[in-house]
Amino acid sequence: MPPNTTSSSGQTRGKSGRKKGRRARLILIVLVLAIIGGVGFGAFWTIGTVRASFPQTKGSVELDGLSGPVDVKRDANGIPQIYADTDEDLFMAQGYVQAQDRFYEMDVRRHMTSGRLSEMFGKGQVDNDEFLRTLGWKRVAEEEYKTKLSAETKKYLQAYAKGVNAYLKGKDGDDISLEYAALGFSNDYKPAEWTPVDSVSWLKAMAWDLRANMQDEIDRSLMTSRLGPQQIEDLYPQYPYDRNKTIVQEGEYNRTTDEYEQSGGTNASEGGSGLAGGATAPDGLQSQLSGLYDELDDVPTAVGVNGNGIGSNSWVIGGAHTISGKPLLANDPHLSPSLPSVWYQMGLHCRGVSDKCQYDVSGYTFAGLPGVIIGHNQNIAWGMTNSGADVADLYLEKLTGDGYEYDGKVRSFTTREEKIDVAGGSSKSIVVRETNNGPLLSDRDDELVKVGKKATVDQDAPDRGDGYGIALRWTALEPGTSMDAVFAMNKATDWNGFRKAAALFDVPSQNLIYADQQNNIGYQLPGRIPKRGAGDGSLPSPGWDSEYEWTGYIKQSELPYEYNPKRGYIVTANQAVVDKEKYPYTLTTDWGYGTRSQRITDLIESKLKGGGKVSTDDMRQMQLDNSSEIAKLLVPLLLKIDVADKDVRDGQKLLEGWNYTQDADSAAAAYFNAVWRNILKLAFGNKLPKELRVEGQCLYVEPVDTTGPADEDRRVRECGERDADSAQPDGGDRWFEVVRSILDDEKNDWWKAPGNRTDKPAKNRDELFGRALEDARWELTAKLGKDMDTWNWGRLHRLYLKNQTMGTDGPGFLQFMLNRGPYNLGGGEAAVSATGWNAAGGYTVVWVPSMRMVVNLDDFDKSKWINLTGASGHAYNEHYIDQTDKWAKGELLDWVSTERAVDENTEDTLVLKP
C-alpha cells in the first residue's frame, strides 16, 4: 500500500539487490516470462478461468456446521447483508461470504502478519519475513488468543474460521482467485485452512500501521547530520493551541480509579469531560537512522498507513443542530489507496436479537476479521480516527558478548529460532534476540548495525565498542483484548456499554466518536498508552538506563473523554486530543496540526450560525470541502511579487480572484500547488540530509563537516535516498505551521537559497517566492503544456489503483488485468477532502478518503456510505470497482439496514443450509 524507501549509498549487503527484492509492498516472484515455453496467455486463461472464482450469489449451498439456514442478501453493488438465528451461524456465514469475495487478499495478509510471504512470493520477501518474525506478530496473537480473549470471542473466531474453510473445501487455487491461477505458473502453492489466530494477527498489522510517531522520531534523528538543534526545532513547531481547537474542550477531570470501577466502568455524566496531557524534557539522544527507516518502510502495510500518520476525519453533531432532531455522524479514514479497498461493507443481522443471537450491526470491516469495525447497530453509531498517541519507542542497546548492558550489569538475551520457508528455494533459519525493551531490530540488517555505530549520545553513555543495537518497545507486542472490543462495541446499546467496550480496545489507540438514538453524542480516547520515566518518546532512548523505562500505562479512567458538550458537536481529525497544560500525561509530542479539524469546525459553525440546522447532505458536502488553507495564507503575498517574465506573470494572474478551492478542473489550484511545492523545495527540501530527500534527486551541497562561510568550490554532489511518496518536506500541515511561523520574518535564514546556472541566490522571502513562481511555471509547462487554458489540477493530481501484489511488480499483462485508473481528482494535502500528495515527490495521489459514511440516527435507512473500490476482490467481477466513479465524484450510496429496506434493495439471495 504505502511508499517504500531505498538504502543510503555505500551501504553493505548488496544494496541494489536488496532494494529490488523488497521495494514493492508485496513483491511477486518473477513469473515465467514466456508462460510455459512461449505459449500465449490466451491459450491458458480463458473467460472460464477468469470467472471460475466469482462467488455464487443465488440459490443455495450446504455448509457443514451450521445449525440453521442463513440468508445472504446482496444489493446492486454486491454488498452482503447476512441473516441468521445464532451468533455462531452469523459469524460462520461472514467468514464464508468474505472468503467468496476476498480470500486471496485475506491469504496474502495472513502471510504478511505471520512473516510467511516467502511461502507465496519467493526469496524476494525473505528480508521482510525476517523482520516480521523478529517483531513476532503471530506469536503475540497466539498468546492473546490463548490467555486474553474471552470464551465468547474465541467461539466467534472459531465460527468465522469454520466458514472460511467451508468455502475453501474442495477448491483449487484457480477456483478461488485469478491471482492463484497466475501463481500456479511459477510454484505449487496451495492455500492452507484459516485459523482463529489468523484473524487476531490482523489486528497487530492494523496496529503497526497506526503506531504513531516513529517516523518523526527517526526523521528528527536523521536531521542531526546536517541541521542544528534550533533548525530541527523550527521544523517541528509547537501545536497551535490558540488557533486550532483540541478534541476535548469542556468538562473536568475524571473521578478516581476506585470510583470509576465502583460505578461499573464508566464516568459518564451529562456535559462532563475526562481530561489528562503534559510533556517531559526530551532525552537528547539523536542518531542517523536511515537504515532503520528503510527497514520499517519496506514492511508491507495492512490498512495502508505504514506509520506515516496521514490522518482521517470524523465528527458528530447533536440532534439540537440537525434537521431530523437526532444526531448525524460522519467518518472518512484517510489511507493509502489499494485495490481492492481495505474496507469491506456488510451487515450482520440476527433475525431476532436474543441471548443466543445478539447482533444487528452494519458497517465496514476488514476481510479476514469477524464483526464490524466502524458502523452502527440499531441503537448507536461510532466512527474512528487515528489518535496519534505515542505507543512505540526505539531504544539504543549496549551489546556485550551474549547479552546487553542494563544499569551497569549484563543481562542475557531472550532468544528464539525462526525457520522461513521459501517458494522455489531453500528455507532459512534466523535467531531472534530480545532485550527487556523488546526485539533487536538491528539484528536483521547490516545497515542497522551502522546506525548503532553512528548514534550520537551524551558523555555518560557506555563505550559503544562495535556500536549499539536498536530495540523496539511497542504496546502491540504485548497480548491484549482488542478483538473482545470489536464484539463488545458491535452490541453496545448506550454510552456506558460503549465506554466499557472502548476500555477493551487497547491497540491501536483511536479517537472514538459516538452517537445514539437517545440524542447523546460522545468521544472516548481508548488504548494502552505508556507512562515514561525520563524522556518523552520523541527521540531514541538509552536502553542501558532504567530511568528511561516505561513505568506503566495511563489508566482507562484517566483517558480523555467528552459527553454531550454544550457546543453540540465533536470533531476529530488527528488534532491534539487535549491541551497539554490541562493534562498530567504526555500522549504524544507529534499531533497533527489541526488544519482539517479546524476547517471542519468552521464549516459546522458557519452552518449553525443564526440557528441553522445540518442535514445528511450537508455532512456529505463538508466531507468534500477541498479548500486550501495554505493558499489562503500565501496567495495574497504571491500576488505582490514583482515578476518580470510575461509567462510567469500569466501564471501569477491565475491566482487573482481564486477562491482557494482545489477542484479537479482548476488551473489556479494546479499552479498554486506547484508554487507551494517549489517554495518547500527551495526553503527546506534542498537543505535536508540526503536520507530525507527524494531518491535520485541530486544537489551540490556543503560537506557536513564544513565550517565557515559557504564555499562553492568545496561543494559535493549528494543524492537523495528516500522513496518519493515518503520524502520530506511532504507539504502536510506541519509544513503549513513551519511556514506560518517564519512568514513575517522576511530575512529568516530559511528563506535564503543558493543560486544556480540560471537563477540568482534568494536572499529573502520575496526573492524565494519569486523563484518559486518561476520554477512552478516552467515545471507545469513541461508537465501540462505551455497553453495554460489546458491546465487543471486533476491532470497533475491522479489516483492509480493497483492490486497490491501482482499489480505492482507482476508481468505487464497482469498489471493491465488487475490495475485500474488513473482518476483525475480534486482535493489535496491537509484539506478536508484529503486526497494527499507528497510535495517532495510529485503530485500523484498517495492517500485518500478510503471510504465515506454519514449515519442518520433518526432513521438508519437514510444513512449513506461509499467504498473506494467495491465489494469484490476479483478483477473482472462487476463489483471490483463499481463504487469508484461515484466515490471520485463525491457521491454516496444509500445505506439501508432494516430488514424491510434490505429486502427492497436485494438483487441476489444465497441461502446457506446446514
Side-chain angles (χ1 to χ4, degrees), residues 684-699:
F684 310 103
N686 291 350
K687 300 166 188 175
L688 295 177
K690 62 182 182 294
E691 294 90 353
L692 275 70
R693 299 201 315 268
V694 175
E695 178 187 8
Q697 290 185 3
C698 302
L699 301 169

Side-chain angles (χ1 to χ4, degrees), residues 628-636 638 651 654-655 658 660-662 666-679 736 772-773 776 780 791 793 796 837 843:
S628 171
E629 298 303 296
I630 191 63
K632 293 175 185 177
L633 187 67
L634 296 184
V635 165
L638 293 171
L654 288 174
L655 304 180
W658 178 42
Y660 312 121
T661 58
Q662 301 173 93
S666 171
Y671 184 57
F672 172 77
N673 281 318
V675 174
W676 169 237
R677 179 174 185 249
N678 280 279
I679 287 173
F736 291 12
L773 285 163
L780 294 199
W791 288 7
W793 177 223
L796 285 175
W837 54 287
Y843 305 96

Side-chain angles (χ1 to χ4, degrees), residues 98-106 340-341 343-344 367 870-873:
Q98 286 192 344
Q100 281 187 303
D101 284 332
R102 301 278 193 95
F103 181 76
Y104 176 76
E105 174 192 4
M106 293 163 59
S341 166
W343 297 108
Y344 186 91
S872 180

Side-chain angles (χ1 to χ4, degrees), residues 542-569:
W544 51 82
D545 187 345
S546 61
E547 292 293 318
Y548 289 84
E549 274 197 344
W550 291 0
T551 60
Y553 299 104
I554 301 173
K555 297 173 182 177
Q556 172 70 18
S557 61
E558 298 171 315
L559 290 173
Y561 81 95
E562 194 164 65
Y563 187 61
N564 290 333
K566 293 178 181 179
R567 65 187 180 278
Y569 62 86

Side-chain angles (χ1 to χ4, degrees), residues 357-567:
C357 199
Q358 305 172 73
Y359 297 87
D360 190 359
V361 62
S362 181
Y364 295 84
T365 187
F366 302 124
L369 202 68
V372 166
I373 301 298
I374 294 173
H376 71 83
N377 56 34
Q378 295 311 303
N379 297 285
I380 72 168
W382 66 94
M384 297 184 188
T385 62
N386 195 18
S387 74
D390 186 0
V391 296
D393 283 348
L394 298 171
Y395 284 87
L396 298 177
E397 302 284 5
K398 171 58 182 173
L399 309 185
T400 305
D402 293 328
Y404 60 96
E405 188 170 317
Y406 183 74
D407 279 351
K409 298 181 181 179
V410 176
R411 289 188 173 186
S412 297
F413 296 111
T414 301
T415 63
R416 68 177 187 274
E417 185 172 337
E418 298 275 353
K419 180 183 177 184
I420 298 170
D421 294 325
V422 182
S426 301
S427 62
K428 180 178 182 179
S429 294
I430 62 170
V431 174
V432 177
R433 299 189 294 176
E434 294 190 7
T435 73
N436 61 312
N437 291 312
L440 273 177
L441 307 185
S442 50
D443 279 353
R444 299 283 72 85
D445 199 297
D446 290 344
E447 294 176 16
L448 299 188
V449 174
K450 293 194 173 187
V451 172
K453 290 182 178 180
K454 295 180 179 180
T456 301
V457 295
D458 62 35
Q459 60 185 2
D460 295 326
D463 177 68
R464 74 178 69 240
D466 290 332
Y468 301 127
I470 298 174
L472 170 68
R473 181 151 194 197
W474 176 37
T475 56
L477 296 184
E478 302 171 26
T481 55
S482 293
M483 198 68 241
D484 284 340
V486 172
F487 296 115
M489 205 168 290
N490 282 195
K491 62 183 179 183
T493 60
D494 57 20
W495 174 242
N496 287 356
F498 181 76
R499 290 198 73 212
K500 289 178 181 178
L504 299 169
F505 205 90
D506 41 27
V507 290
S509 177
Q510 298 286 284
N511 295 313
L512 299 178
I513 60 168
Y514 167 93
D516 64 36
Q517 289 194 313
Q518 281 64 53
N519 235 340
N520 299 304
I521 64 172
Y523 163 84
Q524 175 69 58
L525 177 69
R528 185 188 293 145
I529 301 174
K531 298 178 183 178
R532 294 173 174 87
D536 62 1
S538 63
L539 290 165
S541 297
W544 51 82
D545 187 345
S546 61
E547 292 293 318
Y548 289 84
E549 274 197 344
W550 291 0
T551 60
Y553 299 104
I554 301 173
K555 297 173 182 177
Q556 172 70 18
S557 61
E558 298 171 315
L559 290 173
Y561 81 95
E562 194 164 65
Y563 187 61
N564 290 333
K566 293 178 181 179
R567 65 187 180 278

Side-chain angles (χ1 to χ4, degrees), residues 113-126:
T113 60
S114 59
R116 293 168 47 229
L117 288 168
S118 301
E119 293 179 15
M120 293 185 76
F121 304 116
K123 63 182 180 180
Q125 288 298 307
V126 169

